[in-house]
Amino acid sequence: MEVRPSAVLRHVTALLTLAIVYTAAARAGLLLDAIAGFATLVWAPTGIALAALLLYGLRLWPAVFVGALVVNLWTGASWLGASGVAVGNTLEAVAATLVLRRIPGFRMALDRVEDVASFVVLAAGLSTTISASIGVASLAVAGTIAPSQIAVAWRAWWLGDLVGALVVAPFLLVFLSDRRLTIVPRRAAEAAVLILILLSINLYVFGGGALGTESLEQTYLVVPALIFAALRFGQRGAVTALIITTAIAVWGTVGGHGPFTRPVLHQGLFALQTFIAVVTTTFLLLGASVAERQRAEEWLLHAREIAEQANRAKSDFLAVMSHELRTPLNAISGYVELLQMEIAGPVTDQQQGYLTRIQSSQQHLLTLLEDVLGFARLETGRLAMSLQPVIIYDAIVALEGMLELEIRKKGLTLDRRIPDPSLVARADPEKLRQILLNFLTNGVKFTPEGGRITIGTERERDMVRVWVTDTGIGIPSDQLQNVFDPFYQVDRGPTRKYPGMGLGLAIARDLARAMNGDIWMESTPGIGSTAWLTLPAA
C-alpha cells in the first residue's frame, strides 16, 4: 500500500507539535517546587497526552516518549532515569487510551455519566499509577530520589498526573471531539458575563483579593459559578470553568496567595490539587448529567413531533375515507327511498321488508362513519364550538322522540327525573345532543328487554349535572378506566353481541371537555351503569 507524502508530512507535523507542547507543559510543571526535582504536583502533560491519543490515535505515542525524555534530560536526569520516566509516561497514556476505547459506546465528549465515571476511575485514577510507579522507581534506581523521598515523591507524582488528567484532558476532549459550536448572541453574552464573574471570584479567592481574611471557607465562593456554568452550558461550560479555576488557583498558590498558601510550596500545591480533584470530579459528573437531560428532552421533543405528524396523518386519512364512504351510502339511502315510494313500479310487502333492512343497515353504517369522522375532527382540532345557553330539559325531550321506536321495540321504560325544567347549561347545542344521544343509545343497546332507563339533572354550585342510569349488563370495575379509550369495547371478540366501533364515549368525553365539562362512568356488573355529564351553568 502506497503512503502519500502529504500523509507522512501531516503525521510528522502532529508528532512534532505534540512533542513540543508536551515538553513545554512539562518544563513549566517541573519548575514548581518538584520533589527531588522531578515529582511535581502540577503536571498538565498527562492530560495533553491522553487527549491526543484518544482523539488522533495511538500512533502519536512516540511524541509522548520523546517529550518526556527530552524534558527529564533537560531537568538533569540521567539517561537511565529519563528513559524510565519516559516509558512510564508513555505507558500511562497508552493504557488509559486502550481501556477507555474498550468501553462500549464511550463518548469522548464525556456527556454521559458512565463515561465520566469510567474516565475518572480508569484513566485519571488507575492509569496514572503506572507513570508514578515506573517514574519514581526509575529515578530511585538512578539515585536521583533518596529512599526516604520515595513515598512523598510517588504521592506528589500520582496526584499531579491525576489532576492533569482530570482538568486538561476533558477540556481538550470536549472541545475537539465535536468542533461544531453554534454561537447565539444572547448565549455568547451570557457566557462572557459568566467568565468575567468566574475570573473575578477566582482572583478574589486565590489571587490575593481577600488579603488578611484568607481561609478555606472562601473556596466555596467558587462553587455557585461552577454550578451555573454546568447547568447553563453543559459539559463545555463545566470544563471551561474548571480549567479557569485551576489555572488561577495554581497561579495564586505559587505566588503565595489564597487559602492554600503554605510555608513550603509543594505542601500548598498538595492541598490545592486535592481540592481541585474533588471539585473537578463533581462538576464533570454534573455536566454529564445536564447533557444527558438535554439529550433526553431533545429526544422526547423529536418523538412528540413524530407522533403528532403520524396522528395528523391518521386523522386526515380517517376524515378522507369517511367522506368518500359517506357519499355512496347517501346514494344508497336515496335509491331505497325512491323504491319505497314505488316511483319505478309497485313493490311487494316482502320487498318492502328487504328495503327496510337495507335502509337500517345503511343508517347503522352511516352512524359508524359519522363517529369516525367526528373522532378525526377532534384529533385534528378542527371541531368548531358555539357555546351558548341551552335548556337541558328541551334537549332531553327532543332526544326521546328519536329513540321512541327502539325503546318500544325492546319494551324498555324511560323515566325522567328533572326537578328543575328551567335548568340552563352553557354548551354547544349540537355537541350536547350528540353526548346525550350517546348516553341514551348505550342505555338502550346494553339494557335487556323490559329494563329501565332513567335520565336526570341536578345543579351543583356553578355546574350542571346530567346523568343516565340503566339496568343493563354493567361494566367490570377493571375496565371502567378503558371505556373512554378510542375503539375500546367491553364486549369484544368475533362473537360479540353488541354492535359499534367503541368511539362513542371517547368522542363524548372530548366534546364535554371542549365545552369545559367532563364525563365519567359508574357501573356494577349485572345491575347497570350510570353515565355522568357535567357542564358549566349558564
Side-chain angles (χ1 to χ4, degrees):
M1 182 178 178
E2 184 180 354
V3 180
R4 290 180 297 178
S6 59
V8 174
L9 179 61
R10 285 197 301 269
H11 180 59
V12 172
T13 302
L15 288 172
L16 288 174
T17 301
L18 178 57
I20 292 171
V21 172
Y22 187 99
T23 302
R27 182 60 181 168
L30 289 172
L31 292 175
L32 300 178
D33 194 24
I35 297 173
F38 295 93
T40 178
L41 283 152
V42 181
W43 192 252
T46 294
I48 295 171
L50 177 56
L53 268 59
L54 279 172
L55 289 168
Y56 305 111
L58 289 170
R59 59 180 185 165
L60 294 182
W61 70 263
V64 179
F65 180 84
V66 171
L69 181 65
V70 168
V71 76
N72 280 280
L73 290 173
W74 185 0
T75 307
S78 64
W79 273 97
L80 175 62
S83 300
V85 171
V87 169
N89 290 1
T90 305
L91 289 177
E92 170 189 73
V94 170
T97 301
L98 291 174
V99 170
L100 291 178
R101 285 185 173 180
R102 291 183 65 87
I103 296 174
F106 178 77
R107 296 164 63 98
M108 287 187 287
L110 300 178
D111 53 1
R112 299 188 308 172
V113 172
E114 57 263 40
D115 292 337
V116 172
S118 300
F119 180 85
V120 171
V121 174
L122 300 176
L126 294 180
S127 71
T128 49
T129 62
I130 298 174
S131 176
S133 300
I134 295 177
V136 170
S138 299
L139 293 173
V141 170
T144 306
I145 295 179
S148 60
Q149 293 179 306
I150 289 178
V152 177
W154 190 96
R155 184 184 68 174
W157 196 307
W158 174 75
L159 184 59
D161 283 16
L162 170 72
V163 175
L166 286 176
V167 175
V168 179
F171 179 79
L172 296 174
L173 290 173
V174 169
F175 278 95
L176 296 180
S177 62
D178 184 4
R179 301 185 184 183
R180 294 172 299 174
L181 184 60
T182 303
I183 301 177
V184 180
R186 182 179 176 182
R187 296 276 285 177
E190 186 179 350
V193 171
L194 175 60
I195 290 174
L196 287 175
I197 293 174
L198 195 63
L199 288 171
S200 301
I201 294 174
N202 278 296
L203 288 172
Y204 174 80
V205 174
F206 301 109
L211 291 175
T213 60
E214 296 171 346
S215 65
L216 288 176
E217 288 79 4
Q218 291 175 358
T219 57
Y220 294 113
L221 294 173
V222 181
V223 173
L226 294 175
I227 292 175
F228 186 82
L231 292 179
R232 289 294 294 159
F233 298 97
Q235 200 65 296
R236 285 188 172 182
V239 297
T240 302
L242 288 168
I243 203 164
I244 290 173
T245 299
T246 302
I248 295 177
V250 170
W251 168 77
T253 303
V254 171
H257 306 296
F260 296 103
T261 302
R262 300 289 188 275
V264 180
L265 178 57
H266 77 261
Q267 293 177 350
L269 288 175
F270 180 83
L272 170 64
Q273 296 295 65
T274 303
F275 166 78
I276 292 295
V278 173
V279 169
T280 301
T281 301
T282 301
F283 286 99
L284 285 177
L285 290 170
L286 178 60
S289 300
V290 172
E292 286 186 338
R293 186 198 66 183
Q294 291 174 344
R295 280 200 308 276
E297 290 176 351
E298 291 172 359
W299 183 88
L300 288 174
L301 181 61
H302 181 63
R304 179 181 176 181
E305 291 174 353
I306 293 175
E308 288 177 348
Q309 291 175 0
N311 200 39
R312 285 193 296 269
K314 176 201 68 177
S315 299
D316 291 341
F317 171 77
L318 291 175
V320 171
M321 290 304 298
S322 296
H323 282 295
E324 293 297 323
L325 292 173
R326 188 167 54 179
T327 300
L329 285 174
N330 289 333
I332 292 172
S333 176
Y335 281 112
V336 168
E337 289 179 0
L338 290 175
L339 291 173
Q340 288 176 330
M341 294 169 62
E342 300 185 347
I343 293 177
V347 178
T348 66
D349 292 341
Q350 186 178 20
Q351 291 171 335
Q352 284 285 2
Y354 293 157
L355 291 174
T356 300
R357 291 183 182 180
I358 292 173
Q359 193 170 45
S360 176
S361 297
Q362 181 268 342
Q363 288 295 330
H364 176 65
L365 184 55
L366 187 60
T367 300
L368 296 179
L369 288 174
E370 289 292 345
D371 284 346
V372 172
L373 183 57
F375 180 70
R377 287 172 177 168
L378 285 169
E379 288 284 289
T380 55
R382 299 173 183 170
L383 197 65
M385 285 284 174
S386 177
L387 300 180
Q388 56 188 275
V390 179
I391 300 175
I392 302 297
Y393 179 83
D394 293 346
I396 292 173
V397 171
L399 290 174
E400 289 179 358
M402 298 176 61
L403 297 171
E404 183 178 1
L405 183 61
E406 290 294 325
I407 291 174
R408 286 183 179 180
K409 187 183 296 184
K410 295 188 69 172
L412 304 176
T413 302
L414 178 62
D415 293 334
R416 281 194 235 130
R417 295 185 184 177
I418 306 177
D420 182 7
S422 64
L423 197 60
V424 179
R426 182 169 179 78
D428 184 305
E430 179 60 29
K431 308 307 183 292
L432 175 61
R433 183 196 69 82
Q434 187 174 346
I435 294 172
L436 295 180
L437 182 61
N438 176 264
F439 284 2
L440 289 170
T441 52
N442 281 344
V444 172
K445 182 194 300 185
F446 295 108
T447 301
E449 294 183 359
R452 181 179 297 274
I453 300 173
T454 305
I455 185 168
T457 62
E458 59 186 45
R459 174 75 179 261
E460 183 176 346
R461 293 189 291 275
D462 57 345
M463 301 296 289
V464 173
R465 284 187 178 183
V466 184
W467 47 270
V468 175
T469 299
D470 62 54
T471 57
I473 60 174
I475 304 170
S477 59
D478 61 339
Q479 298 187 42
L480 269 177
Q481 296 298 321
N482 300 324
V483 295
F484 295 103
D485 295 340
F487 304 105
Y488 184 84
Q489 293 176 320
V490 177
D491 178 32
R492 290 170 290 179
T495 60
R496 61 192 182 95
K497 180 180 178 181
Y498 304 99
M501 296 185 67
L503 284 174
L505 286 175
I507 294 173
R509 185 177 65 174
D510 288 343
L511 291 175
R513 291 179 175 177
M515 295 186 291
N516 303 313
D518 206 355
I519 285 176
W520 71 93
M521 293 284 295
E522 297 174 355
S523 185
T524 303
I527 296 178
S529 303
T530 300
W532 294 85
L533 165 67
T534 61
L535 290 170

